[in-house]
Structure formats: C-alpha cells, structure tokens
Amino acid sequence: MENKNNVTEFVLLGLTENPKMQKIVFLVFFVIYIITVVGNMLIVVTINASSSLGSPMYFFLAYLSFIDACFSSVNTPKLIADSLKEKKTALFNECMTQIFGAHFFGGAEGILLTVMAYDRYVAICKPLHYTTIMSRRVCSLFVGIVWMGGFLHATIQILFIFQLPFCGPNIIDHFMCDLNPLLNLACMDTHTLGLFVAVSSGFFCLLNFLLLMVSYVVILRSLRNHSVEARHKALSTCVSHITVVVLLFVPCIFVYMRPAATLSIDKAVAVFYTTITPMLNPLIYTLRNAQMKNAIRQLCGRKSISGDK
C-alpha cells in the first residue's frame, strides 16, 4: 500500500469546547492525575520498602501500580494541557506515540491481571506448593512476558495504523488519538481494518476478561473447603482483583469490540478507563488490604521520625 499522507497534525476537539468548562476540566483532571501518580507510586515504594510485603502477590501489585501510573501519563497530561488551549493539536508522530503508549501499557496491564489471577489460583487451590510454583525466578519470567506481550500488542496496532493514508480532514472528535477515530479519517475503505482492530484489541480484551472471570469462579468455588477466616481473607483479595478486572476490561470491550464508528459516549468511556480506573486501583487494593494499610502507616511513620531527626 502506498502511503499518501498529506496530514502532518490532527486537531482534537477535546472533552468540551466551552471555555468555562475547560477550566473545570483542567482542575478536575489535574487533581485526578496527581492522586493517580502519587497513589500508585506510594504502593510501589511501600512494597519495595516493606519486608512484610515480599510475597508474589505484592510483587505483581507493585508492577501493576507502576503500569497504572505510566498508563495514566500517556493521555492525561495532554488532556490537562489542552484544556488551557483554544486549539488542540497533535502532530502525526505524537499521535502515533500516544497510541503506542496506551496499547503498550494497557496490553501489559491486561496480561499482568491474568498473571495475578493465576497467582491467586495457586495460593488458594495449591497452598502447599505455592512457594515452589511461584518462585522469584518464575515471577520474574511472568513480568518479562507481561512487558513483551504489551510491546507486541502495541507494535501490531501501530504497524497497520502508521501505514494508513490521511489526506484530510484531520479533525478528531476526541481528547486523544486512538485507533477507531483515526480509521474514520483514513482516505480508504477501512472496513477490513476495523475488523482487525476488533480482533486484535477487542477480542484480546474479551478473551482476557472471560479467562479471568472463569479463573475467579474456580477460585471462589474452591473456598468452600477452607476455614471461615481463610475464606474471608481470600474473598477480600479476590473481590479487589475482580473489581479492577471489570473496571479495565468492560470499557475496553465496549470501545474496541465493535465497528469503527464514533459514538457520543466514547469520550466518557475513554475518560473512565484511561484516567479514573488507574486512580481507583490503589484505593481498591489498599482499602481492602490490612497488610498494605499497615505497611503504608509504618512507611509514613518512618519518614516522619527521620524528618524529626
């Protein structure tokens, strides 16, 4: 395919074109972004600093928090900066970078959540073999698979979207660059490519979601043979994981598992899984986890004591 590209930049319409609402957008998303980065990095620092959080579950949780902070940083800073501008633009290469970053960290998070479900399955269903199966070497191997899987997923998306011919118009009714809005601007029939997006991104989300739901059903069924205390502890952990899975995958399935058409609700859904979900994840994991809360208190207390000295 010959790439006839006359477009050097795209114009983003953003969340709103109302000047007063744009100021509110700036304030709200600036606060959300700060909470997201601080909350997720606090979890990363706490897990690495606390000797009591050395299990594989917390090892993976630290990576999940790091990925969430990075995932939020792909689109949110530009959304905040654009809310102060009258004309919002994104250079072609900037747009491609944004798409790659979103699918790299989003794909990595999806795979990591599957790994975390497997970790919970082994811990609850095969507790006597847990330390053998989930050794540090195996955990590191899983993390490598997470990063490689995210990179492969993002590379596949960017390879085909980069070759599309754009000859005008260049206006995107969105606050970020993404696959479906760009498909609608391409100067060619993108029906087949729309199906490719549905398979590579939509089916990826759907398959992961179904696998995770089945795995957690198996885990919850196995809890019948455990003590009341063990059931309560495992159920609390699983509920946190399931909540995060639903918050990430359901919006992604809605956006990508359908034809490349722009719907009025797309912006709200995109805001939810790109900015709100990464902010909620630290709250979900810490509020339901006494060990995490105690470790954070100890870390803050340690910092306070060292500050007094």
Side-chain angles (χ1 to χ4, degrees):
M1 184 198 310
E2 186 183 355
N3 186 2
K4 296 179 179 178
N5 196 346
N6 300 324
V7 174
T8 58
E9 69 175 17
F10 296 99
V11 177
L12 304 170
L13 296 184
L15 287 178
T16 177
E17 295 181 77
N18 185 317
K20 291 183 179 179
M21 286 301 297
Q22 284 184 345
K23 293 177 182 177
I24 296 174
V25 167
F26 170 81
L27 182 61
V28 169
F29 286 95
F30 179 77
V31 172
I32 288 174
Y33 182 62
I34 295 300
I35 293 172
T36 301
V37 174
V38 171
N40 280 292
M41 294 315 295
L42 177 62
I43 288 180
V44 173
V45 171
T46 301
I47 290 173
N48 282 286
S50 176
S51 57
S52 64
L53 303 178
S55 70
M57 182 180 80
Y58 294 108
F59 176 76
F60 294 131
L61 178 57
Y63 276 98
L64 178 67
S65 296
F66 176 74
I67 290 173
D68 272 329
C70 295
F71 184 47
S72 177
S73 298
V74 173
N75 293 307
T76 311
K78 180 165 177 57
L79 170 61
I80 294 167
D82 283 349
S83 65
L84 299 176
K85 299 176 183 177
E86 187 175 337
K87 186 179 181 181
K88 309 164 184 62
T89 60
L91 296 174
F92 181 83
N93 288 338
E94 183 186 352
C95 211
M96 297 301 110
T97 303
Q98 200 174 53
I99 292 172
F100 181 87
H103 284 269
F104 173 59
F105 292 114
E109 179 161 349
I111 298 169
L112 181 57
L113 288 172
T114 306
V115 171
M116 291 175 75
Y118 175 72
D119 171 68
R120 289 301 84 206
Y121 168 77
V122 176
I124 294 170
C125 300
K126 300 182 179 181
L128 298 178
H129 304 286
Y130 180 64
T131 53
T132 304
I133 296 173
M134 299 302 293
S135 65
R136 180 63 69 170
R137 181 174 172 275
V138 171
C139 291
S140 299
L141 178 63
F142 277 138
V143 170
I145 292 172
V146 165
W147 290 121
M148 285 302 297
F151 180 80
L152 181 62
H153 172 70
T155 302
I156 291 171
Q157 312 308 312
I158 209 68
L159 281 179
F160 88 85
I161 204 78
F162 194 81
Q163 297 299 318
L164 290 180
F166 298 99
C167 46
N170 66 336
I171 298 174
I172 300 176
D173 186 14
H174 215 303
F175 65 88
M176 67 179 191
C177 295
D178 203 4
L179 300 175
N180 286 338
L182 287 181
L183 285 178
N184 292 328
L185 295 181
C187 305
M188 62 173 288
D189 182 7
T190 57
H191 175 72
T192 303
L193 291 175
L195 294 176
F196 175 79
V197 170
V199 171
S200 63
S201 290
F203 186 69
F204 170 81
C205 292
L206 181 63
L207 182 62
N208 260 354
F209 179 71
L210 293 177
L211 283 173
L212 286 164
M213 288 298 101
V214 169
S215 68
Y216 281 116
V217 167
V218 172
I219 291 171
L220 293 175
R221 282 175 61 88
S222 71
L223 291 177
R224 292 178 300 179
N225 302 322
H226 291 67
S227 65
V228 175
E229 185 181 351
R231 278 204 302 267
H232 181 267
K233 185 178 179 181
L235 187 62
S236 178
T237 303
C238 288
V239 167
S240 298
H241 287 211
I242 291 169
T243 304
V244 171
V245 166
V246 171
L247 289 176
L248 176 68
F249 284 110
V250 171
C252 290
I253 292 169
F254 173 80
V255 170
Y256 296 112
M257 199 70 187
R258 59 179 172 83
T262 303
L263 303 179
S264 58
I265 198 175
D266 281 352
K267 290 183 187 180
V269 174
V271 163
F272 190 80
Y273 74 83
T274 59
T275 61
I276 306 299
T277 298
M279 179 189 68
L280 292 178
N281 284 356
L283 298 176
I284 292 168
Y285 280 111
T286 54
L287 292 178
R288 298 186 63 88
N289 190 313
Q291 246 184 315
M292 272 299 305
K293 286 189 284 189
N294 290 334
I296 290 172
R297 288 193 199 102
Q298 288 174 5
L299 179 67
C300 294
R302 205 183 310 163
K303 295 290 183 186
S304 177
I305 291 170
S306 62
D308 292 339
K309 290 180 181 179

